[in-house]
Amino acid sequence: MGVGLNDNYVSGLARGNEWRTTPLWGIGLQEKVNGHAYFLHDGCARNYVEAIMWHGGEGEASKNLFKNMDKEDRDALVAFLKSL
């Protein structure tokens, strides 16, 4: 998990630094269905890019791949997420 996301909240067997990424099916409908485009467990990410960049732990490698993409590829990935 990314630095700063550990909220020390225990839920079941999960500690505050352990969060499961939910399936991305329907993520493109977030704003239409929920009236907002906030992401992550507590809504701290205001868009797809922030959500990706907050990742650490098991998601660190994917975050770094995204960070090193050129703008056109990053935009294409965000467009794909919006299509889900």
Side-chain angles (χ1 to χ4, degrees):
M1 171 156 311
V3 174
L5 292 180
N6 182 354
D7 60 8
N8 296 314
Y9 178 78
V10 176
S11 179
L13 299 176
R15 297 184 311 261
N17 65 341
E18 299 176 310
W19 290 93
R20 177 185 159 271
T21 299
T22 59
L24 299 178
W25 307 311
I27 195 169
L29 297 172
Q30 172 82 352
E31 190 165 5
K32 183 174 185 172
V33 171
N34 295 319
H36 64 78
Y38 301 121
F39 300 102
L40 298 181
H41 71 284
D42 61 356
C44 68
R46 297 168 294 176
N47 55 55
Y48 298 99
V49 173
E50 284 188 8
I52 293 167
M53 296 308 292
W54 272 102
H55 277 77
E58 292 178 1
E60 184 82 20
S62 295
K63 174 186 80 176
N64 289 334
L65 287 171
F66 178 81
K67 184 169 58 172
N68 292 320
M69 288 177 175
D70 60 39
K71 183 176 182 340
E72 184 177 303
D73 288 339
R74 285 192 311 268
D75 290 347
L77 180 63
V78 169
F80 170 71
L81 292 172
K82 289 179 178 180
S83 76
L84 296 178

